[in-house]
Amino acid sequence: MGVVFQQADYASEAEETQEKQPTEKPSTQTQPEKRKRVTENTLKAKKKKKNDQKECIIPQKKETEDEKSTKPKKKRKKKKTITDVLSSSEPKPGCSADLQNLVTQYFSDKRSVIEQEELQLLDSCFLSSNDLTHTLSSYLKQVCPKWAKIQKQHTEMSSVVLLIVCSSALRTIELIKQLTAFKGGAKAIKLFAKHIKIEEQVKLLQKGVIHIGVGTPGRINALIEKEGLNLKALRYMVLDWNWRDQKLRRMVDIPEVKLDFMKLLENGVLNGCKEDKVKIGLF
């Protein structure tokens, strides 16, 4: 009997296990989890590949940048200025031909051929030029040996016997200081625009006899136009030709000064030279 009961118990346990088996979760529910894992793994693998590619590319870029940095850069050629040209060349004293060439070049597109011929000056119109060994006083003593006599004979108001033309107010003051050994008892006047009104200069010229005028071509032109200064008594015009400023420019290398100077030549100086009344010197 005991055996029969045991078999019955085993049969009932088997039935229970059979009944329990369908209630357990199917193994198919693990498939989505596997898919997720697979997709996650593939994404990670792709990211790794991209990262590996980036890591491979970055050093290549660095290499190209390094190569660029090591390559010599092409330098652009700078245009040479007047200062560059003059600093590399030896100073040469100016001569009458330099002034003639300057006048011809300036008026080449402003005058007809016949008018340009009239602007040409003879060699007799020029004083000897400074050879860069003279001071202003020593040069003037050479070109004006009879200055004492000329000075006494001068009685014209609003006019000067000697006109020294330079580029700036500061240079004017320097030249007047250098005149001490030459001028003797002659009176000199500053003819520039800086800090001096033109009306004051007109009054000074009209008050008494003045022998020497030193100044810029711009202010000299303005005085001539206002009839504060005339060239009736003018016998010598000396150009501060060889002096150079901080940029190594001569008086005629500065565009505005050059323009005023050419206007001054037209305002009566060239005519005075042709009539053999005025002599030009290059200091």
Side-chain angles (χ1 to χ4, degrees), residues 47-59:
K47 284 181 181 179
K48 282 182 180 180
K49 284 181 180 179
K50 286 182 180 178
N51 290 329
D52 292 338
Q53 287 175 354
K54 285 180 181 179
E55 287 175 359
C56 294
I57 293 166
I58 288 166

Side-chain angles (χ1 to χ4, degrees), residues 5 19 24 40 94 134 218 227 233-234 265 275 278:
F5 283 118
E19 287 176 358
E24 289 178 357
E40 285 175 1
H134 285 284
E227 298 182 352
L234 183 64
L265 292 179
E275 293 170 4
V278 181

Side-chain angles (χ1 to χ4, degrees), residues 160-224:
V160 295
V161 180
L162 171 61
L163 188 61
I164 302 173
V165 184
C166 59
S167 60
S168 67
L170 289 172
R171 182 60 178 164
T172 298
I173 294 167
E174 287 176 11
L175 291 173
I176 286 177
K177 288 177 181 178
Q178 292 179 28
L179 282 171
T180 306
F182 167 78
K183 69 176 184 177
K187 290 184 180 179
I189 185 172
K190 295 175 282 189
L191 302 175
F192 55 78
K194 194 173 184 180
H195 307 309
I196 303 175
K197 292 181 180 179
I198 193 169
E199 291 79 13
E200 293 176 7
Q201 290 170 335
V202 171
K203 286 178 183 178
L204 287 171
L205 288 163
Q206 291 174 348
K207 273 184 181 180
V209 176
I210 296 176
H211 306 84
I212 305 170
V214 186
T216 58
R219 177 46 63 93
I220 294 168
N221 283 327
L223 286 165
I224 292 171

Side-chain angles (χ1 to χ4, degrees), residues 39-271:
T39 51
E40 285 175 1
N41 291 331
T42 53
L43 288 170
K44 285 179 181 179
K46 286 180 181 179
K47 284 181 181 179
K48 282 182 180 180
K49 284 181 180 179
K50 286 182 180 178
N51 290 329
D52 292 338
Q53 287 175 354
K54 285 180 181 179
E55 287 175 359
C56 294
I57 293 166
I58 288 166
Q60 288 178 358
K61 285 183 179 177
K62 284 182 179 178
E63 285 176 4
T64 54
E65 287 174 1
D66 293 336
E67 285 174 2
K68 286 180 181 178
S69 62
T70 54
K71 285 181 181 178
K73 293 180 180 179
K74 290 182 180 179
K75 292 183 180 179
R76 291 182 181 179
K77 289 183 180 179
K78 291 182 179 179
K79 291 182 179 179
K80 287 186 177 181
T81 61
I82 294 172
T83 306
D84 296 330
V85 173
L86 293 175
S87 62
S88 60
S89 60
E90 293 181 2
K92 293 180 181 179
C95 61
S96 58
D98 294 332
L99 180 57
Q100 289 275 30
N101 292 335
L102 181 70
V103 172
T104 303
Q105 185 180 1
Y106 180 79
F107 290 108
S108 61
D109 57 346
K110 299 175 180 63
R111 298 285 186 275
S112 64
V113 177
I114 296 170
E115 289 173 333
Q116 287 180 42
E117 288 177 358
E118 292 176 356
L119 295 171
Q120 294 295 319
L121 298 174
L122 299 173
D123 292 338
S124 59
C125 297
F126 292 93
L127 301 166
S128 60
S129 300
N130 179 21
D131 58 0
L132 303 182
T133 61
H134 285 284
T135 63
L136 180 59
S137 287
S138 65
Y139 174 72
L140 291 174
K141 284 178 181 178
Q142 180 183 339
V143 297
C144 308
K146 297 180 180 180
W147 174 250
K149 185 180 179 180
I150 294 167
Q151 173 192 328
K152 288 178 182 178
Q153 291 175 346
H154 176 57
T155 57
E156 188 79 29
M157 296 283 191
S158 300
S159 190
V160 295
V161 180
L162 171 61
L163 188 61
I164 302 173
V165 184
C166 59
S167 60
S168 67
L170 289 172
R171 182 60 178 164
T172 298
I173 294 167
E174 287 176 11
L175 291 173
I176 286 177
K177 288 177 181 178
Q178 292 179 28
L179 282 171
T180 306
F182 167 78
K183 69 176 184 177
K187 290 184 180 179
I189 185 172
K190 295 175 282 189
L191 302 175
F192 55 78
K194 194 173 184 180
H195 307 309
I196 303 175
K197 292 181 180 179
I198 193 169
E199 291 79 13
E200 293 176 7
Q201 290 170 335
V202 171
K203 286 178 183 178
L204 287 171
L205 288 163
Q206 291 174 348
K207 273 184 181 180
V209 176
I210 296 176
H211 306 84
I212 305 170
V214 186
T216 58
R219 177 46 63 93
I220 294 168
N221 283 327
L223 286 165
I224 292 171
E225 289 170 3
K226 287 208 169 190
E227 298 182 352
L229 175 68
N230 65 70
L231 305 179
K232 291 178 183 178
L234 183 64
R235 293 187 64 174
Y236 304 104
M237 187 175 79
V238 174
L239 309 177
D240 189 28
W241 187 273
N242 296 303
W243 183 80
R244 299 182 187 275
D245 62 9
Q246 290 180 348
K247 295 181 179 179
L248 300 178
R249 298 176 301 178
R250 299 171 302 171
M251 179 182 75
V252 292
D253 293 325
I254 304 169
E256 57 272 20
V257 177
K258 178 182 174 181
L259 183 65
D260 291 333
F261 171 62
M262 290 299 168
K263 190 177 179 181
L264 177 59
L265 292 179
E266 288 184 286
N267 271 340
V269 175
L270 291 176
N271 288 334

Side-chain angles (χ1 to χ4, degrees), residues 8-21:
D9 290 334
Y10 287 126
S12 62
E13 284 176 4
E15 287 176 0
E16 284 177 2
T17 54
Q18 286 176 0
E19 287 176 358
K20 284 180 181 179
Q21 282 176 357

